[in-house]
Amino acid sequence: YEIALLSDSCHFVTFQDGDVIMAQGKSSNKLYIIHSGEVKIFLDASGTVIETPPKAQGKTVPQNYGTEISVATEGQILGEISFLTGQPHTATVVAARNCSMVMITPQALQPILKCNSQLISELTELMQQHLSSKPKSPGVTLRIHQSLACGRLWLAHLGGEHVVKPHDYGARREFVVIGNALLRAAEALDEAPVGTIVVSKVAWQYVADKYVGEETKLRNFTVKGVHPLQQGPLIAFPLPRHEWNEDIFHVWTQLKLYCHEGARDLQDVAPFAAEVRKMTVLFVRLHLDLENPDHDTVEDSHRALLAIQRAIYSRNGTLRQFLQDDKGLLAICIMGMPPFSPHENDPTRGVLAAMDIRQGLEALGMKVGIGI
């Protein structure tokens, strides 16, 4: 039934040798399946938007589309990433010889996607495989692997130390998610080869009746597909809508507290947009118990971040990020980053800031490791 429904809505199209089927940087909102022929895929590493070339005597005028990165033939799908995400095409596709294709529009596929979760899963997996295998530029290939976990999480608003003058951007805060779910996700990710999805053993209990999986060495599960008995319509959860108006304009003032100092007022950093700088980077590793975090863990994280902020800001440095990874809490600090001006002695400032951080955290009874 679904094939018949789709065949009534899709179109059969042809392209001549040299025709541009998809142009890098532009969106066509169409999915193509090659019926016959061959196409070449080009990538312009500069990110230039490719303009469709003119035709002379019915033939496309050849032009430089960038570096040829692959070839597609009969049965292969084109444009699925742009089709599913709405983003511009990441490469240019040109007919290498006369081609015929099946063209599918969102309007044709939408009714089928609403009642076939298996198809959504397969299209997403296809998109992931293509992202994992296509070179982005000569010698550069994006590799994707994913993991899924569940567990208890703490959502914490930390920090609040003021950036020092003359660049007083006000108190800087961080929104941090900590908990064992992140540790389990990192563990599962280590077992996920390129192009796969691994679910932690705890999370698998909640989805085992919906997906087919294969157990890994650490007793996690690699997703192999959707369970045949679960190919039904997806349940949509309506989200509340909030209109932006003057009554909630004060929210922006609060949100700016969570922005990196150099991004709070874009006009202040615009002159640095294309500037190349030498900067000194500090990685500050906090060794806290994140396997079973509690209120004390969050409070310790808050006090630690305040100590880091005080040390960094006193040396005209910047707190770039504060997050949890598989090894604990990590603060990334930078000397010489906008809105501050670079200094010749930024490396010295970085070492002095690191010493201040170590002293401040040891006074709080915390273990810390710092790399510069």
PDB file of all heavy atoms in Angstrom, residues 25 35 62 96 103 105 124 135 175 330:
ATOM      1  N   GLY A  25      25.532  24.362  -1.023  1.00  0.00           N
ATOM      2  CA  GLY A  25      25.122  25.614  -0.406  1.00  0.00           C
ATOM      3  C   GLY A  25      23.683  26.004  -0.672  1.00  0.00           C
ATOM      4  O   GLY A  25      23.195  26.978  -0.108  1.00  0.00           O
ATOM      5  N   HIS A  35      17.853   5.830 -11.091  1.00  0.00           N
ATOM      6  CA  HIS A  35      17.291   4.677 -11.802  1.00  0.00           C
ATOM      7  C   HIS A  35      18.284   4.145 -12.819  1.00  0.00           C
ATOM      8  O   HIS A  35      18.456   2.927 -12.980  1.00  0.00           O
ATOM      9  CB  HIS A  35      15.979   5.075 -12.490  1.00  0.00           C
ATOM     10  CG  HIS A  35      15.360   3.973 -13.287  1.00  0.00           C
ATOM     11  ND1 HIS A  35      15.528   3.845 -14.662  1.00  0.00           N
ATOM     12  CD2 HIS A  35      14.595   2.927 -12.910  1.00  0.00           C
ATOM     13  CE1 HIS A  35      14.877   2.793 -15.087  1.00  0.00           C
ATOM     14  NE2 HIS A  35      14.292   2.203 -14.048  1.00  0.00           N
ATOM     15  N   PRO A  62      30.505  23.686 -18.827  1.00  0.00           N
ATOM     16  CA  PRO A  62      31.312  23.131 -17.732  1.00  0.00           C
ATOM     17  C   PRO A  62      31.919  24.238 -16.868  1.00  0.00           C
ATOM     18  O   PRO A  62      32.247  25.316 -17.343  1.00  0.00           O
ATOM     19  CB  PRO A  62      32.408  22.343 -18.468  1.00  0.00           C
ATOM     20  CG  PRO A  62      31.864  22.116 -19.839  1.00  0.00           C
ATOM     21  CD  PRO A  62      31.005  23.304 -20.146  1.00  0.00           C
ATOM     22  N   ALA A  96      27.184  12.549 -14.748  1.00  0.00           N
ATOM     23  CA  ALA A  96      28.377  12.166 -15.495  1.00  0.00           C
ATOM     24  C   ALA A  96      28.022  11.686 -16.886  1.00  0.00           C
ATOM     25  O   ALA A  96      28.860  11.694 -17.795  1.00  0.00           O
ATOM     26  CB  ALA A  96      29.142  11.079 -14.739  1.00  0.00           C
ATOM     27  N   MET A 103      12.223  11.177  -8.359  1.00  0.00           N
ATOM     28  CA  MET A 103      12.283  12.347  -7.480  1.00  0.00           C
ATOM     29  C   MET A 103      11.120  12.292  -6.495  1.00  0.00           C
ATOM     30  O   MET A 103       9.964  12.134  -6.885  1.00  0.00           O
ATOM     31  CB  MET A 103      12.210  13.632  -8.304  1.00  0.00           C
ATOM     32  CG  MET A 103      12.320  14.899  -7.460  1.00  0.00           C
ATOM     33  SD  MET A 103      12.147  16.407  -8.451  1.00  0.00           S
ATOM     34  CE  MET A 103      10.377  16.346  -8.812  1.00  0.00           C
ATOM     35  N   THR A 105       9.243  14.231  -3.163  1.00  0.00           N
ATOM     36  CA  THR A 105       9.094  15.491  -2.433  1.00  0.00           C
ATOM     37  C   THR A 105       8.645  15.218  -1.003  1.00  0.00           C
ATOM     38  O   THR A 105       8.118  14.136  -0.700  1.00  0.00           O
ATOM     39  CB  THR A 105       8.058  16.392  -3.122  1.00  0.00           C
ATOM     40  OG1 THR A 105       6.779  15.746  -3.069  1.00  0.00           O
ATOM     41  CG2 THR A 105       8.435  16.654  -4.579  1.00  0.00           C
ATOM     42  N   THR A 124      17.258   7.683   8.764  1.00  0.00           N
ATOM     43  CA  THR A 124      18.225   8.297   9.679  1.00  0.00           C
ATOM     44  C   THR A 124      19.539   7.538   9.655  1.00  0.00           C
ATOM     45  O   THR A 124      20.622   8.130   9.647  1.00  0.00           O
ATOM     46  CB  THR A 124      17.659   8.323  11.107  1.00  0.00           C
ATOM     47  OG1 THR A 124      16.412   9.004  11.108  1.00  0.00           O
ATOM     48  CG2 THR A 124      18.614   9.030  12.053  1.00  0.00           C
ATOM     49  N   PRO A 135      33.984  12.156   2.250  1.00  0.00           N
ATOM     50  CA  PRO A 135      35.053  13.108   2.598  1.00  0.00           C
ATOM     51  C   PRO A 135      34.529  14.530   2.554  1.00  0.00           C
ATOM     52  O   PRO A 135      33.786  14.909   1.662  1.00  0.00           O
ATOM     53  CB  PRO A 135      36.102  12.867   1.498  1.00  0.00           C
ATOM     54  CG  PRO A 135      35.770  11.527   0.913  1.00  0.00           C
ATOM     55  CD  PRO A 135      34.287  11.384   1.039  1.00  0.00           C
ATOM     56  N   PHE A 175      25.552  26.627  32.917  1.00  0.00           N
ATOM     57  CA  PHE A 175      24.509  25.621  33.124  1.00  0.00           C
ATOM     58  C   PHE A 175      25.145  24.264  32.836  1.00  0.00           C
ATOM     59  O   PHE A 175      25.572  23.997  31.717  1.00  0.00           O
ATOM     60  CB  PHE A 175      23.328  25.869  32.186  1.00  0.00           C
ATOM     61  CG  PHE A 175      22.247  24.827  32.289  1.00  0.00           C
ATOM     62  CD1 PHE A 175      21.442  24.748  33.408  1.00  0.00           C
ATOM     63  CD2 PHE A 175      22.045  23.907  31.264  1.00  0.00           C
ATOM     64  CE1 PHE A 175      20.453  23.791  33.510  1.00  0.00           C
ATOM     65  CE2 PHE A 175      21.055  22.947  31.351  1.00  0.00           C
ATOM     66  CZ  PHE A 175      20.260  22.883  32.479  1.00  0.00           C
ATOM     67  N   LEU A 330      35.381  19.379  33.709  1.00  0.00           N
ATOM     68  CA  LEU A 330      36.483  20.019  32.992  1.00  0.00           C
ATOM     69  C   LEU A 330      36.151  21.483  32.745  1.00  0.00           C
ATOM     70  O   LEU A 330      35.085  21.809  32.221  1.00  0.00           O
ATOM     71  CB  LEU A 330      36.730  19.312  31.662  1.00  0.00           C
ATOM     72  CG  LEU A 330      37.793  19.931  30.743  1.00  0.00           C
ATOM     73  CD1 LEU A 330      39.180  19.781  31.363  1.00  0.00           C
ATOM     74  CD2 LEU A 330      37.749  19.288  29.367  1.00  0.00           C
TER      75      LEU A 330
END
